[in-house]
Amino acid sequence: MSRLPAPENPIAPPDTIVEDEDQSKSSSLEIQQPAIQKRRGVTFVSSISKDEPEVTRRELWAYYLYYNGDNGVGPNGYSLTLFQLWATAAGYDPAQGPGSSCSASSECVLPWGNGVKAVASVVLVANGVSFAVMTLIFTTIGSAADYGSFGRWLLLVITCICWGAQFASVSLTSPSRWSAAMALYMIGFISYGATLVFYAALFPRLARNTPHSRALRARYEDGEIDREVYETEESLEKNRISNISTAHSNIGYIATLCLNLSLLIPLANNPKVNNYVIVLTNGYWVLTGIWWFIFQQPRPGPPLPKDEHYLTIGWKQQYKKLPYTFVYIFAFFLLADGLNTTGTLVSICQNDKFSFSFLQNTYLGLAQAITSTASTFGFWYIQKYWKISTKKMFIVTNVVTILIPLWGMIGIWTNTIGYHNVWEFWFYNVVFGIFQAPYYAFSQTMMAELTPPGFDNMFFGLFGLSNRASSMIGPNVIQAIINNTGNNWMGFPFLFALCAMASIVIWFGVDIEKGRRDAVAWANDIRESQEQ
């Protein structure tokens, strides 16, 4: 096949710029060197360089292993259970007054300010504040991670903060320390969410620099394959890394939970067994996560522009000509808000049902992790075999996102179903595992598809705002509903409406193919118009 001539309005493959028509017939497309450009007083950055090292097998496995340990069992699971356990133990039944004990069938409140607040509401307040702090992080230093080696050190620092908060949980041994449990849960949850976002921002660059991606780019530049084939194959490479890393997270989830059984079963009557389990869980992450910081190859961005600061540059970025990217980010903000808050609310109901048992939660977590691992590989195989688009795979998994709060909403009118029975929590964890693990993988790949090449941390910071830090609306609304009604299930109708509305916007309002080309054209325009 002969070389393709430059189209009238060129849209180059990721990492490339288009030369003029005469040059395009005689020379290969080249990767732009790191560039800084000022337009209308706003600094932009492209951190792509043709000198970036090729991804090695050792580096890629180190990437997978970090995610294997960063599986959320501790900061997103056990820490929440321990916090809710001590808060409930410190609370009392408002019908009987201070000094009484809470039971699973009664409302439980804690002293809060000049009054009282339901324990479930306190948990949701902690989540809401945590998400607000994440928002501050992602909108300030998120974009700065594209400059120099700041992103590399940022991930290391927030990872160490999360590790420290988890190890400190060994001190939470009595109800009187419920406020300390709340603080450590929030610190661990905030830093955990930040690790996921800044770690996910690495995978588009890894995908661009695998041997397979480089070979594809060379074939495209030599005219051996057309643009559509190149885009499809590159998208599959992104999906490969995203799905395998997600599967490794679930494999780590399984390994961690099985490891924890070695403490939970023999030490079932030890009052400090929960604390020991969190320490063991965190130790596993340290053991698997440290290798990324050792084997990660340097791919620094350009230096921070003069007169700019890491804490403020994120507020100065402007984005235009990317309608599908921002429709997706906005809709996913609402969708993730609904899903994250739904997960928290179901966990509250689950903890009440199983009396805050770490052992029961471990068994349920194993059911979810095993099905998650199998389904992630299964969905990836289906996509690869039939070359199904990322968006179609996302829609299939996304349908269950809507059904989860719908099921809880039914529980308002009946105790037969609606997260009232033991079997339902087993069913929930299995179904969640089958569909939600691939959902996270495909949503992450969709963001990578819509991200301008070289602006990964900037846009994944926004994605983090719309994903991990999105639950600012849900927790605040739901905690107010629960506090006023005393019924946890009354929060599900709002969450169902939120998830349904956001899903419809993504299904019908986001064109991945056009959005991908808009993103590449936008990035190329920024590079081509740089100041000489």
Side-chain angles (χ1 to χ4, degrees), residues 4 246 268 293 309 340 349 365 402 408 515:
L4 299 174
T246 301
F293 302 107
H309 193 277
N340 291 342
C349 297
I402 303 173

Side-chain angles (χ1 to χ4, degrees), residues 347-360:
S347 294
I348 290 171
C349 297
Q350 179 175 299
N351 285 331
D352 284 337
K353 188 67 178 179
F354 292 99
S355 302
F356 314 102
S357 170
F358 269 46
L359 183 60
Q360 288 297 326

Side-chain angles (χ1 to χ4, degrees), residues 461-484:
L462 289 174
F463 184 60
L465 172 62
S466 68
N467 184 9
R468 297 294 170 183
S470 65
S471 295
M472 294 181 291
I473 300 173
N476 290 302
V477 173
I478 301 307
Q479 69 89 15
I481 293 173
I482 292 174
N483 213 46
N484 289 330

